[in-house]
Amino acid sequence: MKTLPDFPWDLLAPYKDQAQQHPDGIVDLSIGTPVDPTPQLVRRALAEAADAPGYPATYGTPALREAAAGWLARRLGVAADPAAILPVIGTKELVAWLPTLLGAGAGDTVAIPGLAYPTYDVGARLAGATSLAVDGLLGLGPQTPKILWINSPSNPTGQVLPAEHLRKVVGWARERGVILISDECYAELGWEAEPVSVLRSDICGDDHTGLLAVHSLSKRSNLAGYRAGFVAGDPTLVKELLEIRKHAGMIMPAPVQAAMTVALEDDEHVEEQRARYARRRESLRTAFEAHGFRVDHSEGGLYLWLTRDEPCWDTVKTLSELGILVAPGEFYGARGARHVRAAFTATDERVAAAVARLAG
Ligand SMILES: Cc1ncc(COP(=O)(O)O)c(C=O)c1O
C-alpha cells in the first residue's frame, strides 16, 4: 500500500460540504460519471443473458469480438482482427494492471501524459515500475520507457491529438521498441476535432505491432455500472494478456458480454447521448465564459478545462460557494495548478441550475 498515492478526492470533501449547503442543492461537476439511462436494448440483452450457469470465456464470445471489430471499422476506420481483441472488466481495471501484465517492473519506466487520468501512475506503481509524467516526446530526453501512454481526447484537458502528432509518436515508439498504449475511451466524443485511433492504417501503416488501443463503453453507452471495455491491437501482446488474464480469472461476466455485444452493434443510442452532451457542453461553456473563465483545449471528451488564471483551489472555493463542485487541475498533474475540470455529465436540470448560478 505504501507505493500507492493518497486518494486526492478527500481534499475536495470540505468544498463538497460547502456546495451542498446551497438552498437548491449541489451541482456536482467534479466526476465524469454518466447520469442518463442505460439504453433499453442493452438492458434487454443483459436480462436475456441472465441464465449463465457456466464459466464465460476470458477471451469473450466470438460474437463480442466480432462486434468490437465491426465497431472499430465503422466508427474509427480501423481494420482490426477479431482475434486481436480482448474484453476487459471496465478499462480502469486494465489501465491499473497493464504494466504488470506486460511484464514491467523495478527498473522500468512507464511514461504518462503530463496532465493525466491518475490510474496510469497507479498502474506503474502496482508493477513496481517508475512513472514519468512528460509533456511530449522531448520531455523524455534520452530515456527509453518500456511503455508510453497517450490519451486522446484527454482526461482532463479534452485535448485531441492530431493525426500528424500520432504518426510521430508511433514512429518514435517503433524506433525504440517502446510499447505504445493509446487510451481512446472518449473516441466517439469529439466536438471540435475528430479523435483519431492509433490503430488506423494512415497512422501506423496497417501494422499494429507494439500498439494497444484501450476502449470503454462506459461513456458511449452509459454502461459504467456494467464494467465493459476492450483492448485491441498487437496480436502477440493481446495473446499474452489473454494468457495471464485466463490464469488470474480476469473474466467479463457472460451477461455483460451479451449486453456489450448489442451496445457495440448500435450507434443510434450513441447519437442520442452525444446530442445530450453537446447541449450541456454548450450551455456550460457559454455560462463559464460569461462568468470570466477561459476554456482551454476541451475539443473532445466530457470535460471543460477551465481557468481564471488563479490557483485552482481558489477557483474550487469560489465555485463551491455557488453550490458548484469542480475538480482542481492539480489532481491531474502539476501543470494543472491553475485550471479546474468541469464534467458535463450532469442532468439537464442540474446543468440549468449551474448556468443560472453562474449568471446570477
Ligand atoms: C482517460 C480514462 N481512461 C479510462 C477510464 C476508465 O473508464 P472505465 O473503467 O469506466 O472503462 C476513464 C474514466 O473516467 C478515463 O477518464
Side-chain angles (χ1 to χ4, degrees):
M1 280 305 284
K2 274 204 199 98
T3 60
L4 291 176
D6 292 333
F7 203 62
W9 293 92
D10 296 345
L11 299 171
L12 205 53
Y15 301 100
K16 187 167 187 175
D17 291 345
Q18 170 68 48
Q20 276 166 337
Q21 283 168 28
H22 191 283
D24 183 34
I26 185 173
V27 178
D28 192 347
L29 308 180
S30 68
I31 299 175
T33 190
V35 294
D36 302 299
T38 299
Q40 276 297 349
L41 84 167
V42 180
R43 290 197 240 173
R44 210 175 305 126
L46 182 86
E48 282 168 6
D51 183 23
Y55 287 103
T58 307
Y59 202 11
T61 61
L64 171 54
R65 281 180 286 109
E66 288 284 349
W71 175 83
L72 281 169
R74 195 173 73 243
R75 301 292 277 187
L76 299 184
V78 167
D81 183 351
I85 288 175
L86 180 63
V88 298
I89 314 155
T91 60
K92 181 166 183 168
E93 167 262 297
L94 183 75
V95 170
W97 291 106
L98 206 39
T100 302
L101 298 177
L102 292 171
D108 290 322
T109 301
V110 176
I112 65 177
L115 284 168
Y117 177 57
T119 311
Y120 305 132
D121 172 53
V122 168
R125 290 173 187 246
L126 286 173
T130 306
S131 77
L132 182 67
V134 285
D135 290 313
L137 298 173
L138 287 178
L140 273 166
Q143 291 195 61
T144 301
K146 183 175 175 74
I147 290 169
L148 171 62
W149 277 100
I150 54 173
N151 172 219
S152 168
S154 151
N155 176 9
T157 69
Q159 184 175 17
V160 173
L161 298 175
E164 193 46 44
H165 179 86
L166 292 176
R167 270 192 283 274
K168 269 193 203 135
V169 177
V170 170
W172 184 94
R174 289 227 157 114
E175 271 169 28
R176 289 161 183 79
V178 173
I179 300 173
L180 177 61
I181 313 175
S182 178
D183 181 348
E184 302 178 357
C185 74
Y186 301 101
E188 284 173 292
L189 295 164
W191 311 110
E192 284 154 31
E194 188 206 346
V196 177
S197 173
V198 81
L199 300 182
R200 226 168 64 178
S201 62
D202 62 316
I203 305 300
C204 64
D206 250 341
D207 176 7
H208 293 172
T209 309
L211 305 177
L212 292 173
V214 176
H215 287 283
S216 172
L217 279 83
S218 295
K219 314 293 161 80
R220 92 179 280 274
S221 299
N222 294 330
L223 226 55
Y226 285 43
R227 312 310 299 130
F230 68 91
V231 58
D234 185 327
T236 309
L237 291 179
V238 171
K239 268 267 144 48
E240 280 175 31
L241 295 176
L242 171 62
E243 287 313 312
I244 304 173
R245 292 174 65 89
K246 267 159 78 171
H247 284 294
M250 299 165 113
I251 317 172
M252 176 182 282
V256 179
Q257 293 193 24
M260 178 169 157
T261 306
V262 167
L264 284 166
E265 285 167 348
D266 182 69
D267 298 330
E268 203 178 310
H269 73 275
V270 183
E271 292 312 321
E272 280 169 24
Q273 191 55 41
R274 268 185 60 89
R276 286 186 199 113
Y277 285 140
R279 276 198 313 273
R280 292 170 190 163
R281 175 178 182 273
E282 201 45 45
S283 305
L284 285 171
R285 180 188 188 113
T286 308
F288 275 115
E289 282 177 343
H291 198 78
F293 282 89
R294 190 178 77 235
V295 180
D296 286 337
H297 293 305
S298 311
E299 304 104 42
L302 287 179
Y303 312 99
L304 293 172
W305 186 237
L306 304 163
T307 181
R308 283 202 315 195
D309 285 319
E310 65 182 7
C312 58
W313 286 105
D314 292 355
T315 313
V316 168
K317 180 171 187 298
T318 314
L319 288 173
S320 73
E321 286 159 5
L322 290 176
I324 299 170
L325 191 67
V326 294
E330 199 181 86
F331 280 6
Y332 307 93
R335 203 160 48 77
R338 296 174 82 78
H339 282 78
V340 295
R341 192 196 75 169
F344 39 94
T345 51
T347 61
D348 290 342
E349 187 273 332
R350 286 292 84 187
V351 168
V355 168
R357 293 175 198 183
L358 288 165

